[in-house]
């Protein structure tokens, strides 16, 4: 039955006589001969109070076409109602805004024209085909069959396509390639991850000279890119939980390729991660991604993916016990290196370390990651006792509280002098910048110990890196300490505390200074 | 012997059932008053004799449907039959063709029920002589590959088509009408085979194309003479050994003409065989079967496609059927012209795996022929293509013609180089010149063009060989010549064929990639002409192939095997092309070395088909199915593996990839897996899937929907096979892919039918390990099997 209808309807309305709808192509085909219809449109209120269309159409033999009579309500209203209904109902063409625009242009014409001039302008006919759809219709001329015939006619040719049709001999409707083993093109995957649209990706691939290498055409490239993008799109939801990718059955992908897919998906841009490192992975930050995108030149899509990756990993491992790196590796199947990086990102996000200050701009993600790893190893609860009922994510609160005790090193003047003399004796002659060191010792020591004492407060924890750079790195740098001298100094500085008899918190000092020494050495560069 | 045939029946079962399964859609009452039917025999030599064929068609052209008005509704089964088979065929076939259209084809192979597929096979066992085979109602084989020596001679392609109306059936549930229709067609095929001096048809297949109430029934196959010894009792091995010795001397045997040289069914162009120099061979050979393993081929083969569209006025029922009937012979002729021209252009002389598909739509007919062209050493070197202009006075036109001629000659030379076709030169004296009037013969005419006298004035020789003449008499012809040259050869390192394996390549590596690609294009309704349509269709197919080459470029060097194109016309302006194929990589270095001798190859092939692969453990054969005379055949043809069989198997072997979470399941449309040995057949997989969506846009549009669906179909097949304990699907085929969309409603529907054989395979490298592990099973099965077969 369906096919039968179509058979009838696809004839031109002129020929079939009782099909009162013009499709655009019909008109394009024969613009000279005017169709013979009159359409009456009435607008009235239905019981529900909603506006409802009722429209009667009739074939009027010999009459010039294009007559549109409207009663009740301005034509503008009327058409808007029609457009509105269309949007809600029958079809949803991608060119909807354009349609609406056209309708408005049409209006003066159709509302002016009692008998429209012949031949009728294209726009009028479009209006007809528009008004006919989605509305109740009654065919007075030939009841029954005409109505049946009219419906599929509209179904066959949505307006978007009709508009595209003239001039183009053929348009591709559907174009897919499915392999038993899912094909994955690394280059296209990269482009996809970088957030390029299909068009951009094709352009980039063309520029890469692939056409010359393979003798393919741009159309082939387009279709290939589309295929890959579709595949990646389908894979994406699996990539959100990598173990699913391993256990799913839909895509047969060799293990090496699976690993590559995951690794690349979770890879991130250095520039991007520096921007969000230490920020709360919240909706607020996500809103700022477009700024980051413009700043870093990374596409917004890629930024979103990376941000969502951070957030996803964070959410999963947040409440988990055990080693942070292991947890990430287990749940996201990442390589060791990448898992460590994610651990650092999660750690920073959890503790909200400030990394965005101008002073810290010279530091790379690698520097922070290194520090994060040291801190995770030494300063978290898990570091003391792996059986502890806590995670690697949070710093050991007790330890931070205890750090106040170190204050005695600078508060007690005797202790400070003793410490200084110990360090100076040990380093005399070995340090290129000895005099500067000697002059600055108290300041430096005060800075380092005060940083420790301040860690009690969350706010000061966040500023840890700012403080370290301000209190230690910058003074040393201004005196042009070479890195080797910094190392000598820090070693001696932390070691000589053991010789201070009046100081009782040796273990605490080692836990603090051991990590800090590593961090400072890493942070000390231009 | 049992087992050999058993497997091939198994393998080809889907094809057979494809014909019969379509039956429920086209039942018809036997009182059906007006059905239009025409039959066309297409011999391989058709194009050599087209000046003669042309005469046959002229009356048809002038008076397309003379009997339409006379056929009254009371006449039962009145068909207008146009037969293009040579008149002699009627005298030969008289007894068989008169036999019975009324016979219910109970013993025939196409009776519609799967259980009967074994019919001819059993018959073959009973009837021990060749004459007995001839008495069979339909001595047809759907197999396309045979043991060496099985084919004695191959005559050429025979085909029949019939246009029927489905809406006049009073009793759609009853199969009589459909059976009668197919019986007619099979009868016709049989008679054509007889006309070619053959008593059997191999590589036989049936298909239908339905649009509204019009249906085209098509059948085609290759007429052949079979070796009676194979049809007698005895084991394959016995026959094999005997035959192999003979084969060494007569490897060209199947190329020799089966018909009487002096009493040929049609005028043909014969020469002495270039191999044995004793027998006559035709100058070209078209077949629907795979290349026999013992054939000597020079160079590589290639996929050759002929594509054609014809516009048709929209019409209802009767008028529609008439219009289609009128178009069909011309289409068939055009398709053959294209095939022949492209074959010449490739410098080859034989087509294997020929499959011509005619699809009917509301306002057009599409023809797509795919085949694998090869250069058979036994056949003569093909001549070139000569272009002849119709207005020789015009200077610029002449120049244009000569320019095109040059291009064609260049293309031929390039193709010869590309496909490594360099046959040994044979001096003219040895071959002799047995063909009278070569000039008249070789003339190639287009269907629209009238024969003219100019032909005698033209120099028709191209080198020493006779050339084909392409006459350019109108823009149509110009288009055709252009389209000949637009076919781009695959990029280097790529080969393609639609047969099981590529002739000339035999060092496959184990990397395979099976894929399905679907494309739908929408034609604009404006100014559609035949040329524009042809161009669009041609572009569609070419782009599709190019796209495949591009996508699979990482596998180079590789070959696309079993390339299977399916065309359908789901709506007025939509053309859907579905391609399923497998890409197999091969080792380029070894490819350059001398290939294994054919005998060695055939032995290899035969040796894989031994008893222990049987789907059913032997206990089943001897115990539970005891009463059946031929349990193995019965078991296979009766649908899928029984649950008992499955259960038994499952207990025996663990899934091959137990350690990994998801086992890899290979899929291939071929009957084998390169670099591996199939150790067990687990049964036929035949699955139907229907998917509907009401959120088309959200799923990424039609492409997204179908992409996901096909991926899921593959996944379900793989999962099913894995559940049976298998690790591969062979002989995979997508029989149906019907896609419908309604973007306005945001809806789409798709039906997919796939089938194949679930198997367990073992890599040849792992084979030693495995065989030492499973000595008990193998021994047990082979022992018991021996009892059954002997």
């Amino acid at each position: 039955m369906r096919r039968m209808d179509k058979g009838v309807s696809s004839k031109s309305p002129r020929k079939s006589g009782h099909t009162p709808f013009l499709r655009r192509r019909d008109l394009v085909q024969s613009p000279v001969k005017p169709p013979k219809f009159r359409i009456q449109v009435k607008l009235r209120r239905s019981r529900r109070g909603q506006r409802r269309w009722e429209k009667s159409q009739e074939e009027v033999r010999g009459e010039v076409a294009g007559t549109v009579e409207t009663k009740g309500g301005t034509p503008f209203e009327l058409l808007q109602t029609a457009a509105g209904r269309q949007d809600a109902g029958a079809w949803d063409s991608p060119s909807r805004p354009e349609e609406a625009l056209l309708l408005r242009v049409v209006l003066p014409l159709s509302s002016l024209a009692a008998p429209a001039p012949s031949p009728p302008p294209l726009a009028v006919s479009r209006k007809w085909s528009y008004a006919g759809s989605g509305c109740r219709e009654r065919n007075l001329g030939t009841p029954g069959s005409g109505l049946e015939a009219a419906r599929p006619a509209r179904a066959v040719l949505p307006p978007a396509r009709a508009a595209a049709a003239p001039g183009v001999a053929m348009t591709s409707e559907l174009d897919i390639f499915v392999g038993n083993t899912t094909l994955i093109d690394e280059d296209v995957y990269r482009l996809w991850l970088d957030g390029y649209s299909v068009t951009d990706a094709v352009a980039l691939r063309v520029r890469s000279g692939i056409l010359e290498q393979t003798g393919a055409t741009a159309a082939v490239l387009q279709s290939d890119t589309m295929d890959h993008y579709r595949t990646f799109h389908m894979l994406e939801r699996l990539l959100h939980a990598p173990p699913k990718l391993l256990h799913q059955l839909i895509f047969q992908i060799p293990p090496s390729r699976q690993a590559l897919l995951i690794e690349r998906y979770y890879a991130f841009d250095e520039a991007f991660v520096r921007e969000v490192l230490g920020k709360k992975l919240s909706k607020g930050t996500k809103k700022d991604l477009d700024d980051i995108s413009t700043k870093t030149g990374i596409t917004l899509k890629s930024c979103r993916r990376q941000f969502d990756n951070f957030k996803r990993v964070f959410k999963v491992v947040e409440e988990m016990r055990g080693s942070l790196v292991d947890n990430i590796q287990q749940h996201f199947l990442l390589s060791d290196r990448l898992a460590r990086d994610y651990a650092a990102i999660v750690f920073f996000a959890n503790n909200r370390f400030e990394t965005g200050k101008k002073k810290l701009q010279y530091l790379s993600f690698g520097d922070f990651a290194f520090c994060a790893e040291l801190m995770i190893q030494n300063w978290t609860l898990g570091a003391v006792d792996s059986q502890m009922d806590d995670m690697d994510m949070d710093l050991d609160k007790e330890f931070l509280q205890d750090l106040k005790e170190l204050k005695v090193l600078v508060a007690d003047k005797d202790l400070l002098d003793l410490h200084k003399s110990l360090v100076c004796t040990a380093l005399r002659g070995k340090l290129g910048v000895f005099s500067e060191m000697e002059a600055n010792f108290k300041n430096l020591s005060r800075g380092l110990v005060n940083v420790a004492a301040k860690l009690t407060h969350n706010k000061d924890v966040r500023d840890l890196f700012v403080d370290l750079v301000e209190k230690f790195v910058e003074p040393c740098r201004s005196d042009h300490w070479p890195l080797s001298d910094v190392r000598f100094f820090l070693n001696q500085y932390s070691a000589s505390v053991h010789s201070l008899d009046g100081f009782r918190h040796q273990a605490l000092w080692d836990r603090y200074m051991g990590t800090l020494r590593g961090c400072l050495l890493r942070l000390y560069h231009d | 012997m049992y087992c050999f045939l058993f497997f091939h029946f198994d393998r080809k079962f889907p094809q057979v059932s494809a014909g019969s399964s379509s039956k429920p859609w086209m039942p018809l009452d036997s009182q059906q008053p007006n059905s239009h039917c025409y039959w066309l025999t297409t011999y391989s030599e058709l194009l050599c004799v087209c000046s003669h064929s042309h005469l046959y068609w002229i009356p048809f052209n002038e008076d397309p449907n003379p009997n339409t008005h006379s056929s009254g509704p009371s006449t039962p089964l009145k068909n207008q039959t146009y037969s293009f088979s040579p008149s002699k065929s009627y005298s030969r076939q008289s007894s068989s063709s008169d036999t019975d259209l009324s016979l219910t084809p109970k013993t025939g192979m196409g009776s519609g029920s799967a259980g009967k597929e074994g019919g001819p096979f059993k018959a073959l066992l009973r009837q021990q002589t060749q004459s007995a085979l001839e008495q069979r109602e339909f001595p047809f084989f759907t197999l396309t590959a045979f043991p060496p020596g099985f084919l004695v001679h191959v005559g050429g392609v025979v085909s029949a088509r019939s246009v029927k109306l489905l809406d006049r059936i009073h009793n759609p549930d009853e199969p009589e009408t459909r059976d009668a229709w197919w019986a007619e067609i099979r009868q016709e095929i049989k008679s054509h085979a007889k006309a070619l001096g053959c008593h059997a048809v191999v590589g036989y297949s049936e298909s239908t194309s339905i649009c509204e109430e019009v249906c085209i029934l098509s059948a085609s196959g290759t007429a052949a003479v079979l070796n009676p010894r194979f049809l007698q009792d005895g084991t394959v091995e016995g026959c094999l050994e005997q035959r192999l010795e003979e084969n060494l001397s007569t490897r060209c045997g199947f190329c020799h003409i089966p018909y009487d040289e002096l009493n040929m069914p049609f005028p043909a162009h014969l020469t002495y065989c270039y191999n044995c120099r004793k027998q006559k061979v035709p100058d070209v050979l078209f077949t629907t079967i795979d290349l026999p393993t013992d054939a000597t081929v020079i160079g590589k083969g290639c996929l050759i496609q002929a594509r054609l569209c014809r516009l048709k006025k929209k019409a209802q029922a009767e008028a529609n059927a008439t219009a289609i009937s009128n178009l069909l012979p011309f289409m068939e002729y055009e398709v053959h012209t294209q095939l022949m021209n492209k074959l010449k252009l490739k410098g080859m002389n034989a087509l294997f795996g020929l499959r011509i598909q005619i699809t009917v739509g509301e306002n057009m007919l599409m023809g797509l022929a795919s085949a694998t062209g090869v250069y058979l050493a036994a056949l003569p070197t093909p001549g070139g293509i000569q272009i002849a202009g119709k207005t020789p006075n015009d200077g610029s036109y002449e120049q244009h013609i000569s320019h095109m001629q040059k291009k064609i000659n260049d293309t031929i030379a390039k193709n010869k180089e590309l496909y490594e076709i360099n046959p040994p030169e044979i001096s003219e004296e040895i071959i002799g010149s047995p063909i009278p009037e070569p000039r008249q013969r070789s003339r190639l005419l287009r269907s629209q063009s009238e024969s003219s006298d100019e032909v005698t004035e033209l120099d028709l020789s191209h080198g020493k060989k006779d050339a084909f003449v392409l006459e350019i008499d109108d823009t149509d012809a110009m288009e055709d010549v252009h389209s000949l040259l637009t076919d781009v050869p695959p990029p280097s390192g790529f080969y393609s064929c639609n047969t099981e394996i590529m002739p000339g390549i035999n060092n496959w590596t184990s990397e395979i990639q099976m894929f399905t690609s679907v494309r739908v294009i929408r034609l604009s309704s404006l100014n559609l002409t035949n040329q524009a349509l042809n161009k669009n269709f041609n572009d569609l197919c070419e782009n599709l192939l190019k796209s495949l080459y591009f996508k699979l470029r990482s596998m180079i060097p590789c070959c696309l095997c079993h390339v299977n194109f399916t065309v359908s016309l789901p709506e007025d302006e939509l053309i859907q092309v579905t391609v399923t194929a497998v890409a197999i990589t091969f080792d380029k270095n070894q490819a350059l070395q001398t290939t294994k001798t054919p005998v060695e190859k055939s032995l290899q092939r035969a040796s894989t088909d031994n008893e222990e692969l049987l789907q059913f453990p032997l206990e089943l054969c001897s115990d539970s199915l005891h009463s059946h005379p031929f349990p193995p055949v019965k078991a296979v043809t009766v649908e899928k593996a029984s649950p008992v069989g499955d259960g038994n198997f499952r207990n025996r072997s663990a899934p091959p990839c137990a350690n990994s979470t998801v086992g890899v399941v290979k899929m291939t449309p071929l009957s084998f897996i390169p670099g591996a040995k199939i150790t067990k057949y687990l049964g036929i997989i035949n699955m139907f899937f229907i998917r509907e969506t009401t959120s088309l846009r959200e799923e990424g549009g039609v492409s997204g929907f179908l992409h996901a669906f096909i991926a899921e179909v593959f996944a379900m097949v793989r999962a099913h096979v894995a559940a049976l304990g298998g690790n591969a699907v062979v002989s995979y085929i997508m029989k149906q892919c019907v896609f419908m969309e309604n973007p306005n409603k945001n809806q789409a529907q798709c039906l997919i039918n796939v089938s194949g054989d679930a198997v367990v395979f073992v890599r040849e490298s792992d084979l030693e390990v495995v065989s030492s592990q499973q000595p008990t099973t193998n021994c047990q099965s082979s022992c018991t099997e021996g009892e059954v077969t002997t």
Side-chain angles (χ1 to χ4, degrees), chain B residues 207-209 305 307 355-360 366-370 498 515-521 537 540-541 544 548 562-570 574-581 733-738 753:
Chain B
S207 64
T208 57
S209 172
Q305 282 195 324
R307 302 145 187 154
R355 183 164 164 258
I356 300 179
Q357 207 191 338
I358 304 270
T359 312
V360 56
M366 305 283 252
L368 179 67
S370 308
N498 76 335
F515 59 84
T516 293
S517 185
V518 184
R519 278 202 184 182
V520 177
I521 58 159
F537 186 43
L540 172 62
C541 295
L544 192 45
L548 298 182
H562 212 284
V563 179
N564 186 4
F565 272 70
T566 313
V567 182
S568 60
L569 300 164
L574 292 185
I575 303 175
Q576 180 189 327
V577 177
T578 312
V579 184
T580 300
I733 179 173
M734 183 179 275
K735 289 190 211 161
Q736 292 282 348
C737 179
V738 183
N753 173 213

Side-chain angles (χ1 to χ4, degrees), chain B residues 651-775:
Chain B
N651 294 339
R652 267 192 214 176
S653 76
C657 303
N659 49 350
S660 72
T661 48
V662 181
V664 173
V665 175
K666 293 204 171 195
M667 291 168 77
T668 171
L670 310 182
S671 60
F672 67 101
I673 295 167
K677 185 171 157 41
I678 292 171
T679 55
K680 195 86 181 171
Y681 282 82
L682 304 175
I684 295 171
I685 303 278
N686 189 24
M687 299 166 98
F688 287 83
F689 302 95
I690 298 175
R691 172 75 45 100
E692 180 175 49
T693 180
T694 50
S695 52
L696 190 59
R697 268 189 305 280
E698 292 76 3
E699 289 178 33
V702 286
S703 294
F705 169 67
L706 197 60
H707 192 139
F709 185 33
I710 291 179
E712 280 169 35
V713 166
F714 285 179
M716 283 184 265
V717 171
R718 285 194 302 258
H720 198 82
V721 171
L724 287 171
N727 56 3
V729 183
V730 295
S731 304
Y732 170 84
I733 179 173
M734 183 179 275
K735 289 190 211 161
Q736 292 282 348
C737 179
V738 183
F739 179 73
M740 286 185 184
E741 55 162 329
N742 189 343
N744 301 337
K745 287 186 176 166
N746 204 15
Q747 286 178 349
Q749 295 86 25
C750 187
L751 178 149
I752 286 178
N753 173 213
V754 295
S755 74
D757 292 344
V759 299
V760 182
F761 75 89
V762 182
R763 297 224 161 284
E764 263 159 19
S765 50
D766 306 340
L767 206 56
E768 294 83 44
V769 188
V770 172
S771 58
S772 62
Q773 277 173 352
Q774 316 177 314

Side-chain angles (χ1 to χ4, degrees), chain A residues 324-518:
Chain A
L324 192 55
V325 177
D326 287 352
N327 284 340
I328 292 171
Q329 256 184 316
Q330 194 185 334
H331 286 89
F332 292 92
L333 309 171
L334 302 178
S335 67
D336 189 53
R337 217 194 118 264
L338 200 54
R340 279 169 200 279
D341 286 348
Y342 266 92
I345 292 164
V346 167
F347 184 73
F348 266 67
N350 188 45
N351 292 295
R352 313 266 300 279
F353 289 115
E354 173 64 55
T355 63
K357 283 265 163 59
K358 209 174 174 194
K359 278 180 187 144
L360 301 179
Q361 285 310 310
Y362 78 99
L363 293 170
S364 70
F365 171 71
D367 298 334
F368 287 116
F370 179 85
C371 299
E373 200 176 340
L374 283 178
M375 285 151 85
I376 292 169
Q377 277 166 12
N378 299 307
W379 286 5
T380 56
L381 260 180
V384 188
D385 182 0
S386 55
Q387 306 302 310
M388 277 295 287
D389 188 20
D390 208 336
M391 301 86 49
D392 275 357
M393 299 251 294
D394 295 313
L395 292 168
D396 186 350
K397 283 271 175 334
E398 231 170 283
F399 163 68
L400 296 182
Q401 288 292 336
D402 291 346
L403 282 177
K404 265 193 281 191
E405 308 291 338
L406 297 181
K407 224 173 172 178
V408 72
L409 276 176
V410 287
D412 187 331
K413 201 168 180 307
D414 297 341
L415 215 54
L416 181 62
D417 286 338
L418 190 57
H419 191 187
K420 181 182 172 183
S421 64
L422 277 172
V423 172
C424 289
T425 327
L427 289 179
R428 192 180 304 274
K430 289 182 188 164
L431 225 56
V433 287
F434 182 76
S435 53
E436 288 91 337
M437 188 275 287
E438 199 172 15
N440 261 338
F441 180 87
K442 283 188 182 167
N443 276 340
L444 292 174
S445 183
R446 212 172 274 137
L448 292 174
V449 174
N450 281 339
V451 167
K454 271 166 66 184
L455 287 178
T456 329
H457 307 291
N458 273 339
K459 195 192 152 295
D460 295 312
V461 171
R462 286 181 203 171
D463 285 337
L464 174 70
F465 289 93
V466 183
D467 290 343
L468 287 180
V469 169
E470 246 172 33
K471 300 277 157 52
F472 185 84
V473 175
E474 283 184 346
C476 295
R477 205 158 43 191
S478 67
D479 287 341
H480 305 289
W481 291 33
L483 184 61
S484 53
D485 287 358
V486 176
R487 182 175 298 118
F488 272 129
F489 170 72
L490 284 176
N491 286 345
Q492 203 53 51
Y493 176 74
S494 45
S496 51
V497 169
H498 296 291
S499 317
L500 295 175
D501 295 333
F503 187 67
R504 287 172 292 123
H505 309 285
Q506 302 291 356
L508 186 68
W509 173 256
D510 281 348
R511 190 177 173 189
Y512 172 66
M513 212 44 216
T515 304
L516 207 66
R517 191 179 60 218

Side-chain angles (χ1 to χ4, degrees), chain A residues 1-7 148 152:
Chain A
M1 191 58 190
R2 197 183 73 88
R3 280 180 164 263
M4 284 284 287
D5 292 343
K6 237 190 305 170
E148 286 294 313

Side-chain angles (χ1 to χ4, degrees), chain B residues 351-603:
Chain B
L351 284 182
F352 287 90
L354 176 65
R355 183 164 164 258
I356 300 179
Q357 207 191 338
I358 304 270
T359 312
V360 56
E362 273 181 56
N363 55 357
M364 59 179 117
L365 282 172
M366 305 283 252
L368 179 67
S370 308
T372 303
V374 294
Y375 187 101
L376 281 180
L379 301 191
T381 312
I385 298 177
Q386 185 95 20
I387 301 183
K390 212 156 190 204
T391 50
N393 305 327
D394 192 346
S396 64
Y397 187 71
E398 280 289 288
Q399 203 178 348
H400 181 64
I401 293 287
S402 66
H403 176 66
M404 290 227 292
Q405 179 69 59
K406 188 172 170 302
K407 260 169 94 178
I408 285 182
N409 292 346
D410 288 352
T411 314
I412 293 177
K414 224 190 306 170
N415 280 329
K416 280 191 174 173
E417 199 178 319
L418 183 64
Y419 299 110
E420 300 162 27
I421 299 170
N422 29 18
E425 286 295 322
I426 298 166
S427 62
E428 205 54 34
E429 308 92 68
I430 304 172
I431 300 300
S433 185
I435 322 102
E437 305 169 284
R439 295 191 165 189
Q440 294 288 336
R441 288 277 149 77
S442 60
R443 180 172 161 75
L444 171 64
L445 285 176
R446 298 173 33 76
S447 58
Q448 289 99 332
S449 63
E450 299 132 33
S451 64
S452 64
D453 297 333
E454 288 162 347
V455 65
T456 47
E457 294 149 28
L458 292 165
D459 178 17
L460 293 180
S461 60
H462 173 79
K464 279 180 189 169
K465 309 295 173 203
D466 299 306
F468 261 7
V469 178
L470 278 180
E471 195 174 29
I472 300 185
D473 51 355
D474 52 11
T475 45
D476 253 24
M478 192 65 98
E479 289 282 330
D480 287 356
V481 174
H482 275 302
S483 72
L484 267 186
L485 295 167
T486 51
D487 276 14
V488 187
S492 69
F494 254 112
Y495 294 95
S496 53
C497 62
N498 76 335
T499 48
E500 283 244 309
I501 41 165
M502 180 72 162
I505 302 177
N506 47 18
N507 46 331
W508 305 106
T509 55
S510 58
E511 194 186 344
I512 62 170
Q513 165 73 293
M514 194 280 299
F515 59 84
T516 293
S517 185
V518 184
R519 278 202 184 182
V520 177
I521 58 159
R522 182 177 291 276
L523 301 161
S524 78
S525 59
L526 302 176
N527 311 319
L528 262 191
T529 58
N530 277 333
Q531 285 97 328
L533 202 58
N534 271 336
K535 191 175 174 306
N536 281 338
F537 186 43
N538 221 6
D539 287 353
L540 172 62
C541 295
E542 280 294 314
N543 285 339
L544 192 45
L545 280 172
K546 270 187 218 161
S547 196
L548 298 182
Y549 296 141
F550 180 77
K551 274 180 189 301
L552 298 164
R553 66 191 185 285
S554 60
M555 294 181 78
I556 286 179
C558 85
C559 176
L560 297 185
C561 294
H562 212 284
V563 179
N564 186 4
F565 272 70
T566 313
V567 182
S568 60
L569 300 164
E571 274 178 45
D572 285 26
E573 294 139 0
L574 292 185
I575 303 175
Q576 180 189 327
V577 177
T578 312
V579 184
T580 300
V582 63
I584 311 180
T585 57
F586 60 91
D587 195 333
K588 198 151 202 176
N589 300 324
Q590 284 177 35
L592 298 173
Q593 293 165 12
T594 49
T595 58
K596 289 177 191 168
T597 66
V599 180
E600 220 175 314
K601 269 193 287 176
S602 56
L603 273 178

Side-chain angles (χ1 to χ4, degrees), chain A residues 83 87 109 125 151 158 161 181 254 384 422 459 483 525:
Chain A
D87 288 353
L109 224 167
S125 81
R151 259 180 202 139
R161 258 194 213 118
T181 307
V384 188
L422 277 172
K459 195 192 152 295
L483 184 61
H525 63 84

